[in-house]
Amino acid sequence: MQTHQYDVVIVGAGGAGMRAALESSKRTRTAVISKLYPTRSHTGAAQGGMCAALANVEEDNWEWHTFDTVKGGDYLVDQDAAEVMAKEAIDAVLDLEKMGLPFNRTPEGRIDQRRFGGHTRNHGEAAVRRSCYAADRTGHMILQTLYQQCVKNDVQFFNEFYVLDVLLSDDLTTGTVPDGQEVAVSGVVAYELATGEIHLFRAKSVVFATGGAGKIYKTTSNAQTLTGDGMALAFRRGIPLEDMEFFQFHPTGLAGLGILLSEAARGEGGILRNSEGERFMERYAPTIKDLAPRDIVARSMANEVREGRGAGPNKDYVLLDLTHLEPAHIDAKLPDITEFARTYLGIEPYTEPVPVYPTAHYAMGGIPTNILGEVLRNNTDTVRGLYAAGEVACVSVHGSNRLGTNSLLDINVFGKRSGIAAAEYAMGADWVEMPDEPEVGVVAELERMRTLPSGERVAHVRRDLQNTMDANAQVFRTGDSLRQALTDVRALQERYRHVSVQDKGKVFNTDLLEALELGFLLDIAEVVVVGALNRKESRGGHFREDFPDRDDAGYMKHTMAYRRPPATGDRPHSEAPSGPGTSAPGTFDIVLDYKPVIMTRYEPMERKY
Amino acid sequence: MTATLENPSTDAASVGEIPSFDVTLRIRRYSPETHGDEAYWQEFTVTAYGTDRLLDALHKVKWDVDGSLTFRRSCAHGVCGSDAMRINGRNRLACKVLLKDLNPDKPIVVEPLKGLPVMKDLVVDMEPFFASYREIMPFLIAGGNEPTRERLQSAEQRERFDDTTKCILCAACTSSCPVFWTDGQYFGPAAIVNAHRFIFDSRDDGAAQRLEILNDKEGVWRCRTIFNCSEACPRGIEITKAIKEVKRAMITRAF
């Protein structure tokens, strides 16, 4: 085992992690630990743009952006955080331009802007051009630009290192640490993929920027590596997860494959049509039609298919029509997504409409933080030195449904904020005592899993998880479907105890890595389903057919899910190992609580577009 | 049976059926920890469907047959650059090769990228590749006072370096270059592409420094215009053209 000591350790090297690293590393000694090479992160797959009220092409201001974000999130957004994000968006975009990001330009040479779902002029009058973009490769350009700046500033990376535990001064899983008591982070335990060696990183501050958990679903735009690692690690150490029942399904995934086709396709004039050729969004959102927020468009599409107006031989998708756009315009503004349609479906978007269907895209929920990025361990107390930013976190700027482009904004604004806060805290803080032999639990679990001679395959358990989540916890949910999902997930957790890997080596053991990731997915899926079952209303990305209306009296509040010791009799207690790296059923319960929504300017209204 | 045409759901069974076919992968494997110091070949046959990529076939092997088969992958649709490998002798991303486009009568030969040290199976050590990238100063070097708002750049100026901004650092180009195979010190096409991206950016003032670096004996003059790199690039970057433009800039000092 090797031991390292840094003032700040950042876990994850996507947009949020690298944006934090740029701030932190110029202030204090910083390391970035990433399970991938930084440029492989899924920020690079983002396409359409990053909204900021620059007003380069038409009148706009950050207050309109704040309002759109709050309304888009169906009023579950913390309005102070949304205001911070919309205000700081302008500098976030300008920062990236100064770092060299090659934005598309207006005829005057300024950053060009285009329309995007849910972003409107003057509180909903009409779609506004607010998204700053670089063709349909905005995320790629952000990721490359941030990595370029990290090279320039000599940021220290530990690539293909996998963080498996976060070390805290107190055991929060017992639920007995009193409110107000100081709890602090002291470091992380990591596994080096190339060698199988364990590394202990002692740190005054730790920033989680590990991204999302889309792989709990089968049909997803997310990378293979998006397995909710950071969320699950925090959760296993007794830190709550907020609003996990809200998962965004992006309307336009390539049918059957889930590969993302940007909303920019509709921002540039693309139209969704059903099997009858009808522009059906006119019925669901008369004012902004195809540019309604994603939850509304995804539900409308799924509804068209359910009512028999789906296209294709099985009537199981709708069509994204770009055929009325000039090929030169498509090439200039949407080159990558049209290439995806050609490569993966053999469809020529110049002349044929593209089959699309909603695809699991984004976790609105995550590790709760305040607007500085500090992680909350209950409704009010922070964990000293622990920060989170990006999709892993829940600030909450997205509420129950994130607007398109606001994720690239989130990672830049709150990545920067958490990097600054983590460095400043570390510079004034003392080292926190680490627990004795902090790696023991992780090592024992790794060895158990690596050496178990035979057992069920990881991939089979994962496949069954993804199937039940797609079938029972997707765009449309009911109490019955969610109870089925919960039963399935718990049975799969039981099966997980008996999975074994075939690769028994220490060098580059991705078989073992996938097994660990599956444990995280099973934890996260359970939290998603328990939260969804409990929320007996429909709001944003969470739609309950048995409770189709929003219920502000009952549920205008954030869900806080805690992992706590099992209550007697409720769930059978099994004798499974209980190290931090395990996800054995019966060793814990999920206890739900609530946190108030912060409202500043806007009273909840009915959400119409 | 015109009724079938008008009402396809009456024949639901055949409509829902997706044609499948078997493919054989012949994979170059290497695992000193478990199989000795020599690389070896191993064949696997799996069932594939119409839209399956080579990456799906590799996953089928790993998930259903042999969990120890090791390769990198992440996004699975050609934007992250993790899964570059040699497929039937050509550098490709496994997630951008559709199995139906390959000849099903012969095994598909899958090998690690050439010219980089193999760590295990299809995983190579990427550090030498990234070291070359870092050497060409791949970041904006802008002199003068920072403007309050954005720097202005015309659409034409932006277009000048558009092609080379697409690079995803997958190493398909560099590891397809015979010059790089024989001399690992050569910067390689990817590093030159990333230098090009800044040399021709109107906002950048570091061109002279980068050209100085690439004027080195392991620099741009080692390129023999073989075009392997352009052919290998999964992003369709005209790499040889970019290298030529860098060579010309070095002579004319016009950029």
Side-chain angles (χ1 to χ4, degrees), chain A residues 400-416:
Chain A
S400 60
N401 171 62
R402 174 174 71 73
L403 288 190
T405 78
N406 273 356
S407 59
L408 289 178
L409 188 52
D410 179 3
I411 61 177
N412 277 286
V413 168
F414 292 101
K416 178 178 181 177

Side-chain angles (χ1 to χ4, degrees), chain A residues 473-500:
Chain A
Q474 224 226 22
V475 174
F476 294 115
R477 301 161 171 185
T478 67
D480 285 345
S481 78
L482 292 166
R483 272 186 290 276
Q484 182 62 52
L486 188 58
T487 304
D488 291 347
V489 169
R490 286 183 175 159
L492 290 163
Q493 289 174 337
E494 188 65 34
R495 279 166 64 188
Y496 180 68
R497 291 174 54 208
H498 307 290
V499 298
S500 98

